[in-house]
Amino acid sequence: MSELQLAMTNTAGLTSVMSFWVFVGSNISKRWRELMLKVALAVMVVGFVALTVAIVTRGIDAGRFPLANLYESLLWFAWATMGGYLLMQKLYSIQHLGWLASLTAATMFLYGSWLPASQHEITPLVPALVSYWRQIHVPPLICSYAMFFISGLSGLVQLWQSGRLRALAFAVGALVFAISAIGLGTFTSLDTFLLQGLFVGGSIAGLSAAWLSLNKISSGRVNQERAELYDEVGYRGIMIGFPLLTIGIITGGLWANHAWGNYWSWDPKESMALVTWLSYAAYIHLRIHRECSAEKLSLVTVAGMILTLLTYLGFNSLGFGGLHSYGRFK
Amino acid sequence: MRVAGQPLRPSDEEMTASVASPVKNSPPAKRSKLAIFASVKMTVTLLILIAATVLVGAWCPQESQVGFQKVIEMFGEQTAVKLSELGITDIFHSVWFLVLIGLLTINMVACSVQRVFPKIRTLKQPMPFFTNREISKLPVNRELSLPVSSELGLEKLSTKLRQSGYKVVENGHSLSAEWGKFGRLAPTITHIGLLSLLAGVTISSWTGFSGFKPTPLASAMSFGSSEHSKLWIGKLPEWRVRVDGTRREDYPTGEPKQWYSDLTVIDSQGHELKKQQISVNNPLSYDGVDIYQSSWGLDQIVLQFNGHERRLDLRQMGKVYAAFLPLEEGMILIFSVRNQVQPVRVFAKTPQWEAPRLLSEIPLGKSVRLGSVNLEYKELIPITGLQYKSDPGYGVTLVAFCFIMAGVMLAAVPHRQVWAHVRTEAEPANEETTAEQDLCILSVGGRSVKAKTAFEKSLYSILTRLEQEFAATGAKA
């Protein structure tokens, strides 16, 4: 790893943590709110630019497109999350989401930094990855995952703004279970079935409890205008992420057909991407159907975020196998 | 845009339809026949059930891909048998899954015919013009008082909307404008793509074939053992593919970088029809059949023992390949090779020895003397794993993919509609103006199905710029 690449990656990591704290401060302090928001956004822009330089430098150092293992994909994910948030911020001025977007990017940096040194090193590609299809197939997928995350985070803020605090607590609980299972699966040797149980059981229990708690409204906390705004942000996030996911899946099929003569082989990663696609297709149809409240749809975006997490990181850490095991390091 | 916590009211599109769309004029008899299958609730239910089924299939190793032994390794024999009985170990061929896919197909066809395809007609339908009363009922609306003539006020608004990418139509004192009209075609194009995909897959399934054939160097591969569906009306080719050369290219670390095979297509008489080198991601195509480099290995080692040739099968053991030759009194000779360049290493092992002992290393084409035996390393025969496929539905599938991608991308484009109506009102004299003055009252409103807040922001920005322009003109005057 070159010094410039290391410096830029560290800058991006540090700025994501800094912007997180300044965004948090802006939500607490009414007096300095506007100033802190501007500072937080500026810091995030610096981080985004630094990460762009880091990724480009890594590509130049490696002499190939820099998206070939888990560590590199985490850099891309953090980049897409920051970029996705900045885009949404420009369209909607959604300051309340800033700290969550920064937290997501910072978590990805932290997760990446804890991976073994072999993941940080630039390693040669296995024969299956030596193809121009890699740069066509993978970036849309990673960017779609980031947009689904922004959408899910908007769902959480929407629940807060609509006064569904109990449902929000359960939804966050579901996320904590899912993230814990992935963290334990990555960095410990706990039994795979136990971790799968933790992920699935925690997610289903949390989301079911949240669904059943949607009628409990803390009326003093309701901000209808903002609730509508975050509902729309969640929808727009999906309407950007869904085409990207579709393009990623289709180009993956075309690559597989070009390389092995088969569009689809029900490989676990392919299946998980299809599950995510079907879930968001269901969300879009639910929205068309227009009988679902904004809060129910917000919970669907949170469920989608958990499925995205399972497709992206859970696949490797929770013991799924198959052709797409390039991100594995255990 | 829905009110948080409340079910949605009729869609903006439906509101437009009530004024202008021809869709509602579909014959009622046709609707009732399809209504059961054209339900969006059914679509959502099926999508969730299929997603849950695929999730189970991703979690449980599938017999058709990795074999039943892998299922036993993961769950133990008793649980594996139970899972097999429930159809979970081959879930993508289970009746449950096929029924779900069948129902979703019927649902998609019914929805497409009844609701989605007729949307094409709405594109031709001109937007209606609204009065100021109708405009005031739109989700986003505002009224401006401008100190200019009504004609100029409407004209300036029209210019501003055009500059923002709207397609504007004026009619006397009214105006209607539209942005992202083609975004409305997203469901139609996506559904055409999905139905075309089904057609492409069906054509391939009924007429195509595929298979995998590990082929040693200098051998020829034929298509006799091809796999195809039960309902098959295709034809297998008579030509064959000969492997003239095959090799592995490594990184300096010893990890494989690429596999190559030199292939020649030959007819039944042995005439050469085509020659090509293939590698992973670079197949050979001939007569509608694609041949892919799928795997690579070392198949046999050829040795000479005191002039007598012997071929031994090689087995992959990690990064090396090994052949075993049992001798008398429990001794085994082991021949270990790493690749086609490095020498073969000859080991001996007896039950008494803890580990094999290295006897010699022999470069390719050389020989060594082991006791009374002259051992020569003659040849190493590689084997190339060739995957092949005939996919007559490829063109249709490719077109389907293009439609699906175009459809989902169009879905991200928000459709925006704006209406304006202008009237003139007399402003009574006040402290600043000594006489009565005519004012242009501009009612502007609109809606966007996919992004109300962003639309509101952009429309208000246009109107603010309009007001500022007239304020500046007024100040100059």
Side-chain angles (χ1 to χ4, degrees):
Chain A
M1 200 187 287
S2 72
E3 283 184 14
L4 175 64
Q5 188 199 327
L6 190 65
M8 288 293 117
T9 310
N10 288 342
T11 306
L14 278 174
T15 48
S16 65
V17 176
M18 279 166 65
S19 62
F20 164 70
W21 285 114
V22 186
F23 270 123
V24 168
S26 73
N27 282 321
I28 297 167
S29 162
K30 282 186 180 171
R31 191 177 169 192
W32 301 101
R33 186 179 160 72
E34 290 304 314
L35 178 67
M36 289 178 101
L37 278 174
K38 282 180 184 166
V39 172
L41 267 179
V43 172
M44 194 186 245
V45 169
V46 170
F48 180 71
V49 173
L51 191 50
T52 309
V53 175
I55 291 171
V56 171
T57 316
R58 191 175 175 90
I60 294 167
D61 290 348
R64 58 165 170 77
F65 193 72
L67 188 44
N69 66 7
L70 181 58
Y71 174 73
E72 288 173 2
S73 83
L74 287 169
L75 292 184
W76 274 81
F77 185 90
W79 177 84
T81 306
M82 290 160 112
Y85 170 73
L86 291 171
L87 172 72
M88 287 297 185
Q89 160 67 25
K90 190 167 169 53
L91 285 174
Y92 291 101
S93 308
I94 41 168
Q95 296 92 346
H96 292 87
L97 198 62
W99 71 278
L100 284 171
S102 298
L103 181 64
T104 305
T107 308
M108 291 301 160
F109 280 117
L110 200 65
Y111 186 80
S113 69
W114 284 344
L115 292 176
S118 60
Q119 281 280 313
H120 298 191
E121 286 161 12
I122 294 167
T123 47
L125 296 172
V126 295
L129 292 181
V130 184
S131 169
Y132 60 85
W133 280 103
R134 190 166 52 89
Q135 44 262 41
I136 301 171
H137 165 56
V138 194
L141 286 174
I142 302 289
C143 293
S144 76
Y145 296 160
M147 291 314 296
F148 292 148
F149 257 68
I150 287 171
S151 176
L153 297 174
S154 288
L156 292 176
V157 179
Q158 197 280 335
L159 290 174
W160 171 265
Q161 300 289 4
S162 61
R164 270 44 175 213
L165 302 189
R166 191 177 287 187
L168 173 66
F170 283 124
V172 170
L175 261 176
V176 169
F177 271 108
I179 293 167
S180 305
I182 287 172
L184 290 168
T186 310
F187 301 110
T188 71
S189 303
L190 282 176
D191 179 63
T192 305
F193 288 124
L194 182 75
L195 293 169
Q196 289 176 352
L198 186 67
F199 188 101
V200 177
S203 304
I204 291 176
L207 290 173
S208 306
W211 189 270
L212 295 171
S213 316
L214 279 175
N215 289 332
K216 299 274 179 191
I217 307 169
S218 306
S219 47
R221 294 273 184 185
V222 179
N223 184 329
Q224 197 61 48
E225 199 180 321
R226 281 191 192 157
E228 285 185 24
L229 171 70
Y230 283 97
D231 170 56
E232 187 174 316
V233 171
Y235 177 56
R236 282 304 284 280
I238 288 170
M239 294 318 288
I240 296 171
F242 190 69
L244 289 170
L245 178 66
T246 310
I247 291 168
I249 292 174
I250 287 177
T251 51
L254 290 170
W255 183 4
N257 184 53
H258 182 69
W260 299 296
N262 202 353
Y263 298 105
W264 197 263
S265 55
W266 294 112
D267 179 67
K269 186 88 169 182
E270 289 174 3
S271 300
M272 278 312 306
L274 181 63
V275 171
T276 312
W277 191 89
L278 290 166
S279 309
Y280 284 107
Y283 171 91
I284 291 167
H285 283 85
L286 274 173
R287 193 130 186 150
I288 295 166
H289 195 43
R290 295 175 175 270
E291 278 188 12
C292 238
S293 70
E295 288 65 40
K296 283 182 181 169
L297 287 173
S298 290
L299 264 187
V300 176
T301 64
V302 178
M305 179 162 61
I306 292 175
L307 278 173
T308 305
L309 199 62
L310 181 61
T311 307
Y312 177 38
L313 296 175
F315 170 78
N316 279 325
S317 55
L318 300 179
F320 291 69
L323 287 167
H324 292 79
S325 301
Y326 314 115
R328 275 201 163 172
F329 56 88
K330 274 187 176 175
Chain B
M1 185 71 181
R2 123 188 100 293
V3 175
Q6 299 294 319
L8 286 158
R9 59 178 171 68
S11 75
D12 294 334
E13 271 188 42
E14 283 157 3
M15 283 171 66
T16 311
S18 68
V19 182
S21 169
V23 178
K24 64 172 185 166
N25 299 326
S26 302
K30 191 180 171 187
R31 282 201 167 195
S32 61
K33 276 180 193 170
L34 286 170
I36 308 162
F37 297 107
S39 142
V40 178
K41 271 185 188 166
M42 185 181 173
T43 312
V44 172
T45 309
L46 287 169
L47 287 172
I48 292 170
L49 288 174
I50 292 172
T53 309
V54 177
L55 182 61
V56 172
W59 164 73
C60 178
Q62 296 296 294
E63 274 182 64
S64 54
Q65 292 163 3
V66 292
F68 191 60
Q69 190 58 36
K70 182 79 182 167
V71 188
I72 294 173
E73 277 173 30
M74 191 159 166
F75 299 106
E77 193 161 357
Q78 211 175 352
T79 313
V81 170
K82 279 259 160 52
L83 288 171
S84 178
E85 283 169 0
L86 289 169
I88 290 173
T89 56
D90 196 16
I91 205 159
F92 300 119
H93 297 109
S94 65
V95 176
W96 161 253
F97 187 67
L98 296 177
V99 166
L100 285 179
I101 294 292
L103 284 174
L104 186 69
T105 307
I106 293 168
N107 175 251
M108 191 163 60
V109 172
C111 284
S112 301
V113 171
Q114 194 179 76
R115 277 197 307 272
V116 180
F117 293 162
K119 280 192 179 180
I120 297 171
R121 280 184 276 169
T122 64
L123 278 184
K124 292 180 188 165
Q125 199 73 16
M127 274 178 73
F129 295 98
F130 286 172
T131 62
N132 54 335
R133 203 165 146 265
E134 285 166 321
I135 290 170
S136 67
K137 289 178 185 167
L138 289 168
V140 177
N141 67 81
R142 199 164 152 187
E143 200 167 79
L144 308 180
S145 300
L146 303 171
V148 290
S149 67
S150 57
E151 289 78 14
L152 184 61
L154 199 64
E155 189 192 321
K156 286 283 180 187
L157 175 66
S158 170
T159 309
K160 287 265 178 287
L161 287 169
R162 281 199 178 94
Q163 283 169 352
S164 301
Y166 282 84
K167 193 180 171 194
V168 183
V169 182
E170 289 174 54
N171 182 21
H173 291 285
S174 298
L175 166 159
S176 65
E178 206 170 9
W179 191 92
K181 187 179 183 177
F182 287 96
R184 298 172 73 187
L185 278 182
T188 309
I189 293 176
T190 310
H191 278 229
I192 289 174
L194 289 167
L195 292 173
S196 309
L197 182 63
L198 279 174
V201 169
T202 307
I203 293 169
S204 293
S205 170
W206 287 356
T207 56
F209 57 88
S210 63
F212 172 74
K213 188 88 176 169
T215 314
L217 182 66
S219 302
M221 179 198 85
S222 62
F223 301 93
S225 57
S226 298
E227 293 168 10
H228 50 71
S229 63
K230 286 173 190 165
L231 282 172
W232 192 68
I233 48 169
K235 186 172 175 276
L236 293 176
E238 289 177 1
W239 49 270
R240 296 176 301 150
V241 178
R242 191 178 66 214
V243 180
D244 293 336
T246 184
R247 67 188 169 89
R248 179 177 124 166
E249 190 178 296
D250 289 347
Y251 287 109
T253 55
E255 299 296 324
K257 183 180 180 184
Q258 188 55 280
W259 302 313
Y260 297 93
S261 294
D262 298 309
L263 304 183
T264 303
V265 178
I266 47 173
D267 65 15
S268 49
Q269 278 81 46
H271 298 125
E272 293 185 359
L273 304 170
K274 186 176 182 178
K275 286 171 95 77
Q276 189 185 320
Q277 184 179 76
I278 64 164
S279 56
V280 178
N281 289 314
N282 175 31
L284 175 149
S285 298
Y286 182 77
D287 193 24
V289 182
D290 297 318
I291 296 157
Y292 302 86
Q293 179 76 62
S294 171
S295 61
W296 193 92
L298 294 173
D299 187 38
Q300 288 184 322
I301 185 167
V302 185
L303 301 161
Q304 266 196 355
F305 296 84
N306 286 339
H308 296 284
E309 190 174 288
R310 182 88 190 254
R311 286 169 180 257
L312 300 175
D313 290 335
L314 288 163
R315 273 193 270 168
Q316 186 164 13
M317 307 185 81
K319 287 184 178 178
V320 300
Y321 294 82
F324 300 87
L325 182 64
L327 301 176
E328 289 171 357
E329 296 169 7
M331 179 176 273
I332 299 172
L333 278 183
I334 305 167
F335 302 91
S336 164
V337 284
R338 187 172 282 270
N339 53 40
Q340 290 152 292
V341 182
Q342 290 178 335
V344 61
R345 303 178 82 197
V346 187
F347 296 87
K349 172 83 172 75
T350 68
Q352 293 78 34
W353 298 347
E354 277 189 14
R357 291 179 184 174
L358 180 65
L359 301 181
S360 182
E361 287 191 11
I362 317 170
L364 190 64
K366 304 286 180 191
S367 59
V368 293
R369 189 108 201 136
L370 296 174
S372 60
V373 177
N374 184 57
L375 179 59
E376 186 182 346
Y377 176 20
K378 288 275 289 180
E379 195 183 352
L380 190 61
I381 301 173
I383 187 164
T384 180
L386 298 177
Q387 187 104 27
Y388 58 87
K389 184 200 65 170
S390 163
D391 183 7
Y394 179 69
V396 180
T397 308
L398 211 58
V399 171
F401 283 160
C402 293
F403 267 93
I404 294 169
M405 287 197 282
V408 292
M409 281 195 277
L410 274 178
V413 178
H415 177 224
R416 295 168 173 178
Q417 290 170 300
V418 173
W419 286 271
H421 182 81
V422 71
R423 66 185 192 279
T424 307
E425 276 184 14
E427 187 187 35
N430 55 34
E431 289 170 3
E432 289 174 15
T433 54
T434 49
E436 208 178 64
Q437 190 183 346
D438 279 350
L439 271 182
C440 157
I441 307 296
L442 192 59
S443 301
V444 185
R447 59 180 166 229
S448 173
V449 179
K450 290 170 188 167
K452 183 199 155 198
T453 310
F455 167 65
E456 193 173 298
K457 204 176 154 186
S458 74
L459 183 62
Y460 286 170
S461 158
I462 291 171
L463 297 181
T464 307
R465 286 206 308 273
L466 190 70
E467 276 182 320
Q468 284 168 349
E469 196 175 303
F470 282 118
T473 317
K476 272 183 195 171

